[in-house]
């Protein structure tokens, strides 16, 4: 059974990806920043293992992920954990800038650093990085979020080049407006919706299906790509 770790999978897009992969026969390993009730409930529903650590803390990631997978190569890693702290730039607090960058961007290093060597030695694997349409085109009130998600694209493309000869593919999925608790509470939800050519919000399954494809054998010649799920927004 191919095992896949999905960070930030207690709810929203991460939980949807976990459910989809589990139902398609993957061995899913869930992750949350805390041992929340939603994480425990999903773990029970999917009969899946879960790990708890703060992805913005490199030592925690090393202790948790490094110890768990020291002698085991994952087939796939989905870097999905992320937060928003939205505000116009002139009103943006330094801590909100740092929290978003640390959680969304620095976690790329923190999570993958202890996981990659077993995959490299086995010469196989898939890494899917969850960016955002905001990382491609920017978004009002999201300079910190857009910076973090744009940074992920650059990091993923560089890593894809390094790992291609090891049969490890690295790709980016950049969702647009997807129907989750996070987007429904976005202050500019209605404004963004008007800009989408498809005239609707996307759903979690539409994102999960693409992630599953990129984790599969059929995507073996696809790497270093950024694929949007955004209804034509950009």
């Amino acid at each position: 059974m191919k095992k896949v770790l999905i960070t930030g999978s207690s709810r929203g897009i991460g939980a949807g990806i976990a459910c989809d992969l589990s139902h398609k026969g993957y061995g899913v390993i869930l992750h949350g920043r805390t041992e929340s009730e939603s994480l425990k409930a999903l773990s029970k529903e999917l009969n899946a293992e879960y790990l708890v650590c703060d992805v913005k803390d490199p030592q925690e990631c090393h202790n948790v992920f490094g110890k768990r997978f020291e002698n085991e190569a994952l087939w796939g890693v989905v870097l999905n954990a992320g937060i928003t702290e939205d505000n116009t730039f002139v009103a943006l607090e330094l801590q909100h800038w740092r929290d978003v960058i640390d959680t969304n961007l620095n976690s790329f290093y923190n999570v993958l650093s202890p996981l990659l060597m077993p995959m490299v030695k086995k010469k196989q694997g898939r890494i899917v990085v969850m960016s955002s349409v905001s990382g491609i085109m920017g978004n009002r009130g999201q300079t910190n979020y857009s910076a973090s998600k744009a940074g992920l694209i650059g990091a993923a493309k560089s890593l894809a080049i390094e790992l291609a000869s090891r049969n490890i593919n690295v790709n980016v999925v950049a969702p647009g407006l997807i129907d989750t608790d996070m987007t429904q509470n976005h202050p500019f939800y209605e404004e963004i919706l008007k800009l989408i050519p498809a005239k609707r919000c996307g759903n979690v399954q539409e994102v999960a299906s693409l992630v599953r494809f990129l984790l599969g054998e059929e995507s073996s010649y696809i790497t270093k790509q950024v694929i949007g799920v955004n209804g034509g927004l950009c």
Side-chain angles (χ1 to χ4, degrees):
M1 180 183 291
K2 293 179 177 177
K3 293 186 178 181
V4 178
L5 169 69
I6 308 108
T7 64
S9 46
S10 64
R11 62 188 179 92
I13 290 176
I17 292 170
C19 289
D20 180 83
L21 293 176
S22 178
H23 295 154
K24 296 298 182 179
Y26 284 87
V28 168
I29 299 157
L30 307 172
H31 160 267
R33 183 174 60 85
T34 62
E35 195 172 10
S36 64
E37 291 303 316
S38 58
L39 181 64
K40 290 189 286 187
L42 186 60
S43 172
K44 184 177 180 179
E45 176 188 340
L46 301 180
N47 190 28
E49 174 186 359
Y50 68 86
L51 300 172
V52 175
C53 71
D54 189 344
V55 295
K56 70 174 184 285
D57 187 325
Q59 191 59 54
E60 255 190 71
C61 288
H62 179 78
N63 292 342
V64 174
F65 298 133
K67 182 178 179 180
R68 171 61 182 82
F69 299 107
E70 182 178 7
N71 299 307
E72 178 182 359
L74 287 161
W75 167 258
V77 181
V78 180
L79 296 176
N80 173 75
I83 62 170
T84 58
E85 291 286 358
D86 295 348
N87 214 331
T88 57
F89 187 76
V90 294
L92 189 65
E93 296 179 17
L94 175 60
Q95 193 58 51
H96 289 167
W97 174 272
R98 287 176 171 169
D99 285 344
V100 170
I101 296 296
D102 282 345
T103 302
N104 298 1
L105 178 56
N106 291 343
S107 61
F108 181 95
Y109 176 86
N110 298 342
V111 173
L112 290 179
S113 181
L115 297 177
L116 265 185
M117 191 50 68
M119 297 172 71
V120 168
K121 289 179 178 178
K122 198 167 184 178
K123 295 186 178 180
Q124 66 174 31
R126 302 283 188 270
I127 297 170
V128 178
V129 179
M130 302 303 295
S131 180
S132 167
V133 66
S134 295
I136 298 172
M137 61 183 290
N139 194 25
R140 176 186 174 191
Q142 289 194 318
T143 51
N144 52 357
Y145 185 74
S146 296
S148 70
K149 293 299 187 177
L152 285 174
I153 292 173
K157 286 190 171 188
S158 295
L159 187 61
I161 295 170
E162 294 180 12
L163 298 179
S165 65
R166 297 287 181 171
N167 196 32
I168 299 172
N169 294 359
V170 185
N171 289 291
V172 179
V173 173
L177 197 64
I178 305 299
D179 188 16
T180 65
D181 292 342
M182 182 183 290
T183 53
Q184 288 173 355
N185 296 323
H186 195 283
F188 306 117
Y189 178 89
E190 294 299 330
E191 292 180 33
I192 298 171
L193 192 60
K194 292 175 183 177
L195 299 175
I196 300 173
K199 302 301 181 185
R200 69 174 178 88
C201 186
N203 63 65
V204 170
Q205 186 56 48
E206 289 170 314
V207 179
S209 296
L210 174 58
V211 172
R212 173 165 35 90
F213 170 72
L214 292 173
L215 289 167
E217 296 286 359
E218 301 92 338
S219 67
S220 60
Y221 201 53
I222 300 173
T223 195
K224 197 188 169 189
Q225 302 306 302
V226 181
I227 305 175
V229 187
N230 57 48
L233 184 58
C234 73

